[in-house]
Amino acid sequence: MAIEIKKNGNKIFAPLIGKELICTPEEEVRQEYIIHLVNKYGYSLDQMAQEVKVNNSKRGQGKARADIVIWKTKEDRNSDNSPVIVIECKAEQITIHEEDYYQGYNYASWAGADFFVTTNLKDTKFFRVVKGKMPKKLEEVVEIPNATELFDKKKIEELLTKTKAFTRDEFSKLLFKCHNIIRNNDKLSPEAAFDEISKILFMKIRYEREQAKTKALFSRKEFEDLKSAYEKITGKDSLPFYQHFFEKTKEVFKTDEIFDPNDSIKIRETSFLQIVKELEKYNLSDTSDDIKGIAFEEFLGRTFRGELGQFFTPRTIVDYMVDVLDPEEGEIICDPCCGSGGFLIKAFEYVREKIERDVQKQKEIIKELYFGQDYEKLPEKKQEEIAKRVDDLFVKLNFELDIHNPKGRLKTLSYDCIFGTDANPRMARTAKMNMIMHGDGHGGVHHHDGLLNVNGIFDGRFDVILTNPPFGSRVNKTLKVTPSDVPNEDKIRFYEDRYGSHYRQTVVKQIQDWATYDNGHGKSRGKALLDIFDVGAWSGLTEVLFMERCLNLLKPGGRLGIVLPEGVLNNSALQKIREYIEGKAKIINITSIPQDVFIASGATVKPSLLFLKKFSEEELATYQKITEETTKEIKDKYQPKLDELKATFKKEEKKLKESRSAKDLRELKKKYAEDVRQIEDLIAAEIKPLVKERFDYPIPVIEVEKAGISSTGAPCENELEEVAVEFRAYRKKAKLWAEPRKETQYPVDDDGNISRLQLIDGNIVSEPEIFYGAYAH
């Protein structure tokens, strides 16, 4: 028989105690989870206990009490036999991070339990307990046994082996199953079928986010109940409910511009309901990122293999390029040709891991501070008080890692630091979904021509750019900037508020000027896209234009990693392009990789990975000074020759004018111009290598034979991993770019309030800030 929780203000009925208690948020979670254990799993109250004291606590472990413990039977509990499950509870608003739960895992391991559970009601994770040793990483499993299964050894073993990897594969297979439903029922192409699954995933995410408090899933039953209510109000002749539901979803994601205003669901309702039914077991807000993210990537890779393979940079290349550029917290990152979002996702995860490590380090500092050598000598009550204070500080620190906390470090990374565009609407939508599946950062991704500014993507803004632009295609000379490329007034106001008056006065004005450009003859309206780039005078190749575009987007001193056809680096026809780039940035690494790596993605040219650092203001001034001085030196060297040539020309010109031989005069002028051009070519040819010699720096050129992927797409040896380690040591020693020492401190006052303090090179750069405050409560 189901039991319910009874609330009266901050009082709550505690089932195991049988009376009302005044509860903290954490204790309230514990009582609600006990009810859940009874109702869902069939456990009885007499086989459970709360706040079970353990005896092997060590200094630095905090309070030695497990929140909830479950035994097979009441008799096992009374006889102090080993329990089956140990459960650790945290307050509902706290995001769970597994490193917080090694303490609870210690209890489970010591008690001889098979399963360890962490929960805050919104997010529950199950772990297997590895007997006899402490693992370096907790092993997450799919589920715990119910009351009946506790006595089934085979079932227990099955649950202990049904790990997260199993769940990931299961989710991936489920996505393929949904894909096949559409292809079989609605006869859509693989790409079109994927579009429809994306729409349903966005609908599911939207609904489950809105229902976070009630924890309602986007299930078939839930959908049909909503449909029934809708039809009672609107009648059956109105817009079909599943189309109406999609319209609501489009409205929620309107600012993201991922759906065309006229877009609709293009499959029949029976197919839609089948897919909703298949997906209903997963709450996409709660399912861990490394399950749904990797599963979604696998689904993408297999769905788009072939026709759209160019949108997927191989994972080993992505990992290497991010590792080489080593983005830091607070740096703003962009990919102007983001495809399916591979670089953005990796950069997001890479920086997120740094933040998580730092927060964990802060927790260790707090433990050392409060669980000192005298801790064990204190009375038990005092130990409990200290442990409670430490737990409270950990709870507050966890707000830094809550993606929904507007003041948290993870939210800042997600919302303010990750940006991308793709000109293909399907890929822009895919990148957004891919990022949501990996933990977010999708808000800065747009469907837009990557060569033009949009919203937060404009010149001089980024610290790091990672990209794999399209190869081989050319921008047509007739392609122009048009008024449709200018953001509307609502967007201008929104982004002006976010980025300041500079946005309207510079970014928007530039696009407006290009869109209304007139060539002076009344024949052209709108500037040619090629003409807004310096290199457009020499080449219309997209990869060439994107090199300049990326350098424009970077701040002085910013870093660029770009995948290019090897010809860009060694083709004599592109010499001017290389000289242009070398006049804007330092080459910090050229890595040549085997063509095999990209063959599986459909590439037909051998690629190289080029890493640049845009000149700092000081480097640019030095380069310009060297160029000016060298130019003057070489021009002075050839000036006598030019003067002599001019004098001879004037003398001959005078004679021919007297003889009135127009033809000979034309020939003379033509020869003089040719002679001058030859000398000017000599001057230019001497200036470039001399400038290079005088602005000299070493350029690491690396060639690898194995880069982790064979020509068939199968895994193979990956030399890039070792190269990345070696390069990191080299660039730190060579100080290839400025790396100020950033530090975040968390001072605690006498009342237990903790604030964030940011320092650079030991200097405080921000006032102490409370980062949990109103959001926490």
Side-chain angles (χ1 to χ4, degrees):
M1 180 179 172
I3 58 176
E4 296 179 2
I5 200 157
K6 297 175 185 175
K7 296 182 180 179
N8 178 17
N10 65 341
K11 289 186 177 181
I12 191 164
F13 181 74
L16 289 184
I17 300 171
K19 62 181 180 181
E20 282 190 346
L21 299 174
I22 296 175
C23 286
T24 65
E26 186 173 302
E27 288 166 341
E28 185 172 335
V29 167
R30 190 189 311 153
Q31 304 310 320
E32 292 210 31
Y33 199 67
I34 288 168
I35 304 289
H36 177 70
L37 291 167
V38 173
N39 293 342
K40 178 176 179 180
Y41 294 96
Y43 300 132
S44 64
L45 294 176
D46 59 11
Q47 68 186 114
M48 290 189 275
Q50 296 185 76
E51 287 281 278
V52 177
K53 187 175 180 181
V54 292
N55 300 318
N56 73 329
S57 63
K58 298 177 183 178
R59 181 169 56 83
Q61 292 297 327
K63 64 173 182 177
R65 293 184 183 275
D67 288 334
I68 304 171
V69 177
I70 301 173
W71 287 265
K72 278 186 183 179
T73 63
K74 175 182 177 181
E75 290 70 31
D76 279 352
R77 186 193 73 177
N78 294 338
S79 302
D80 288 335
N81 290 338
S82 291
V84 182
I85 304 167
V86 169
I87 300 163
E88 182 86 353
C89 300
K90 291 292 180 186
E92 193 169 352
Q93 74 272 16
I94 302 306
T95 301
I96 289 182
H97 294 276
E98 70 178 46
E99 63 268 18
D100 294 336
Y101 295 100
Y102 278 99
Q103 171 182 305
Y105 186 93
N106 277 338
Y107 304 160
S109 181
W110 169 80
D114 293 311
F115 297 91
F116 169 55
V117 180
T118 69
T119 186
N120 63 358
L121 296 184
K122 290 188 297 185
D123 186 13
T124 300
K125 294 184 180 180
F126 310 112
F127 301 95
R128 57 179 286 189
V129 179
V130 180
K131 303 292 177 69
K133 62 178 181 179
M134 284 298 299
K136 292 182 180 177
K137 187 172 177 67
L138 301 184
E139 296 184 29
E140 194 170 345
V141 294
V142 176
E143 187 54 282
I144 55 173
N146 61 35
T148 305
E149 292 166 341
L150 288 179
F151 300 92
D152 185 340
K153 286 186 178 180
K154 188 175 180 182
K155 183 64 180 178
I156 295 289
E157 188 59 34
E158 180 188 331
L159 289 171
L160 287 169
T161 55
K162 203 172 182 182
T163 61
K164 188 191 290 186
F166 175 90
T167 310
R168 185 166 57 237
D169 292 343
E170 188 177 59
F171 185 41
S172 178
K173 287 173 185 174
L174 192 57
L175 291 171
F176 284 110
K177 186 176 181 181
C178 295
H179 193 251
N180 288 333
I181 287 171
I182 294 175
R183 295 192 66 189
N184 295 336
N185 291 1
D186 302 275
K187 312 304 179 189
L188 298 184
S189 69
E191 294 78 23
F194 172 81
D195 288 345
E196 299 310 299
I197 290 177
S198 289
K199 292 171 188 175
I200 296 171
L201 288 171
F202 274 109
M203 291 162 77
K204 181 175 173 64
I205 285 168
R206 189 268 295 181
Y207 183 74
E208 288 172 355
R209 281 181 177 177
E210 290 176 354
Q211 302 299 319
K213 287 188 177 179
T214 64
K215 299 177 74 67
L217 285 173
F218 187 55
S219 65
R220 179 165 181 161
K221 182 181 183 306
E222 187 81 6
F223 179 83
E224 288 176 339
D225 289 346
L226 292 168
K227 176 183 176 181
S228 177
Y230 169 80
E231 289 179 347
K232 279 181 184 177
I233 297 170
T234 62
K236 292 190 176 182
D237 294 332
S238 58
L239 185 70
F241 181 62
Y242 75 119
Q243 295 289 1
H244 166 77
F245 206 87
F246 180 54
E247 290 299 317
K248 298 284 284 182
T249 301
K250 286 197 298 184
E251 187 64 29
V252 169
F253 288 99
K254 185 178 179 180
T255 56
D256 292 320
E257 297 183 320
I258 53 178
F259 298 110
D260 186 278
N262 298 317
D263 206 352
S264 63
I265 302 291
K266 296 179 175 62
I267 57 176
R268 62 196 71 183
E269 189 168 356
T270 52
S271 301
F272 174 84
L273 289 173
Q274 274 184 267
I275 291 168
V276 170
K277 178 68 178 171
E278 292 293 343
L279 292 172
E280 67 183 29
K281 67 181 287 189
Y282 292 98
N283 183 321
L284 294 183
S285 296
D286 288 351
T287 305
S288 64
D289 302 332
D290 51 352
I291 286 179
K292 62 191 179 192
I294 296 172
F296 189 72
E297 277 196 57
E298 185 179 321
F299 173 53
L300 285 181
R302 287 175 59 184
T303 302
F304 290 130
R305 188 172 292 156
E307 182 191 341
L308 294 174
Q310 72 270 25
F311 291 101
F312 297 82
T313 308
R315 173 52 73 98
T316 58
I317 304 302
V318 170
D319 290 350
Y320 172 71
M321 292 178 70
V322 173
D323 209 348
V324 165
L325 293 188
D326 191 21
E328 293 287 344
E329 182 182 4
E331 291 191 316
I332 307 176
I333 301 160
C334 181
D335 180 352
C337 329
C338 67
S340 63
F343 281 118
L344 298 179
I345 288 164
K346 177 62 181 179
F348 173 77
E349 292 179 332
Y350 188 88
V351 179
R352 178 176 65 185
E353 189 177 332
K354 288 187 175 186
I355 295 171
E356 288 173 343
R357 283 201 305 265
D358 185 59
V359 169
Q360 184 59 29
K361 184 181 82 173
Q362 300 300 330
K363 290 177 180 177
E364 294 302 321
I365 291 171
I366 288 171
K367 284 168 70 173
E368 286 179 19
L369 178 65
Y370 285 93
F371 298 137
Q373 291 188 5
D374 295 332
Y375 176 77
E376 292 296 334
K377 300 173 185 176
L378 297 173
E380 185 174 339
K381 187 174 180 182
K382 186 65 176 174
Q383 288 186 7
E384 291 278 355
E385 289 174 4
I386 291 173
K388 189 169 180 58
R389 183 163 192 173
V390 169
D391 277 354
D392 180 60
L393 292 174
F394 282 12
V395 164
K396 290 169 179 173
L397 274 173
N398 277 348
F399 277 104
E400 290 284 48
L401 305 177
D402 190 333
I403 198 73
H404 303 296
N405 176 12
K407 293 184 177 181
R409 290 165 70 179
L410 199 56
K411 176 69 172 182
T412 300
L413 167 65
S414 175
Y415 185 70
D416 294 330
C417 298
I418 304 290
F419 293 84
T421 56
D422 201 275
N424 182 299
R426 175 178 284 134
M427 283 300 110
R429 188 163 57 245
T430 299
K432 278 184 173 290
M433 175 56 71
N434 208 357
M435 295 209 72
I436 289 171
M437 291 289 191
H438 280 84
D440 234 306
H442 75 282
V445 177
H446 302 278
H447 166 223
H448 200 264
D449 186 339
L451 292 170
L452 289 174
N453 292 340
V454 58
N455 300 342
I457 301 171
F458 50 84
D459 292 356
R461 182 147 194 271
F462 295 97
D463 298 283
V464 175
I465 293 179
L466 291 142
T467 194
N468 179 6
F471 297 170
S473 59
R474 292 179 182 273
V475 171
N476 195 298
K477 292 179 181 179
T478 61
L479 188 62
K480 295 176 182 177
V481 183
T482 69
S484 65
D485 294 311
V486 180
N488 63 41
E489 184 58 30
D490 286 344
K491 283 186 185 173
I492 293 172
R493 281 198 296 268
F494 178 83
Y495 288 105
E496 187 177 27
D497 184 56
R498 186 169 177 187
Y499 301 118
S501 59
H502 164 80
Y503 183 76
R504 183 188 292 271
Q505 295 168 5
T506 305
V507 178
V508 176
K509 187 177 184 307
Q510 183 186 59
I511 304 174
Q512 289 171 334
D513 290 345
W514 289 339
T516 56
Y517 175 80
D518 194 314
N519 66 1
H521 302 289
K523 294 180 181 178
S524 174
R525 202 70 178 159
K527 195 163 191 174
L529 189 59
L530 274 180
D531 291 343
I532 70 176
F533 292 97
D534 295 337
V535 296
W538 305 313
S539 173
L541 285 170
T542 48
E543 59 264 37
V544 168
L545 297 175
F546 269 107
M547 287 178 74
E548 181 180 340
R549 167 65 167 160
C550 290
L551 287 174
N552 290 341
L553 288 172
L554 286 173
K555 297 174 182 176
R559 314 187 291 287
L560 166 65
I562 185 168
V563 183
L564 292 171
E566 206 155 82
V568 174
L569 303 178
N570 53 32
N571 187 333
S572 58
L574 296 175
Q575 178 62 29
K576 281 190 174 181
I577 309 294
R578 290 192 291 276
E579 290 172 354
Y580 176 85
I581 298 302
E582 288 171 2
K584 301 278 184 182
K586 282 185 172 182
I587 301 171
I588 55 176
N589 179 325
I590 299 173
T591 303
S592 177
I593 55 175
Q595 187 174 343
D596 287 0
V597 182
F598 277 85
I599 284 177
S601 299
T604 56
V605 296
K606 189 177 187 303
S608 282
L609 312 178
L610 177 65
F611 300 90
L612 302 170
K613 184 183 78 70
K614 186 175 179 177
F615 289 159
S616 65
E617 291 177 0
E618 183 181 346
E619 288 168 333
L620 179 60
T622 301
Y623 182 83
Q624 288 174 338
K625 185 180 179 184
I626 288 172
T627 302
E628 286 168 10
E629 290 175 349
T630 305
T631 300
K632 184 178 184 306
E633 178 185 327
I634 302 302
K635 280 187 174 180
D636 288 349
K637 173 183 170 183
Y638 281 92
Q639 194 58 48
K641 206 164 191 176
L642 284 168
D643 291 343
E644 182 184 343
L645 194 63
K646 187 176 182 180
T648 303
F649 166 73
K650 288 292 183 184
K651 188 176 178 182
E652 293 296 320
E653 182 186 38
K654 187 178 179 183
K655 285 182 185 178
L656 289 173
K657 280 181 178 178
E658 289 172 355
S659 66
R660 298 185 178 181
S661 174
K663 182 181 176 183
D664 289 345
L665 185 59
R666 283 196 302 272
E667 289 296 324
L668 176 68
K669 288 180 177 179
K670 184 179 177 182
K671 184 176 185 308
Y672 172 66
E674 194 174 312
D675 289 343
V676 169
R677 188 168 58 251
Q678 285 179 354
I679 292 175
E680 287 175 343
D681 288 346
L682 283 172
I683 290 171
E686 283 195 33
I687 289 172
K688 294 296 181 186
L690 200 52
V691 168
K692 254 184 163 181
E693 183 183 316
R694 291 171 177 177
F695 191 77
D696 189 31
Y697 58 89
I699 300 174
V701 179
I702 304 153
E703 184 155 4
V704 298
E705 295 180 359
K706 302 283 185 182
I709 300 173
S710 70
S711 58
T712 62
C716 68
E717 182 187 350
N718 184 9
E719 298 170 12
L720 291 172
E721 293 174 348
E722 188 176 337
V723 170
V725 173
E726 291 178 5
F727 180 79
R728 177 174 295 226
Y730 163 78
R731 63 101 169 161
K732 283 185 174 293
K733 186 176 180 181
K735 298 181 179 176
L736 292 188
W737 59 80
E739 296 184 76
R741 183 169 53 85
K742 296 179 182 179
E743 184 183 0
T744 304
Q745 294 181 356
Y746 292 91
V748 180
D749 66 20
D750 293 339
D751 296 323
N753 299 310
I754 185 169
S755 56
R756 181 202 300 130
L757 193 64
Q758 293 178 320
L759 301 88
I760 296 180
D761 292 331
N763 300 310
I764 297 173
V765 294
S766 66
E767 292 296 319
E769 180 182 18
I770 300 292
F771 52 89
Y772 45 95
Y775 174 73
H777 305 290

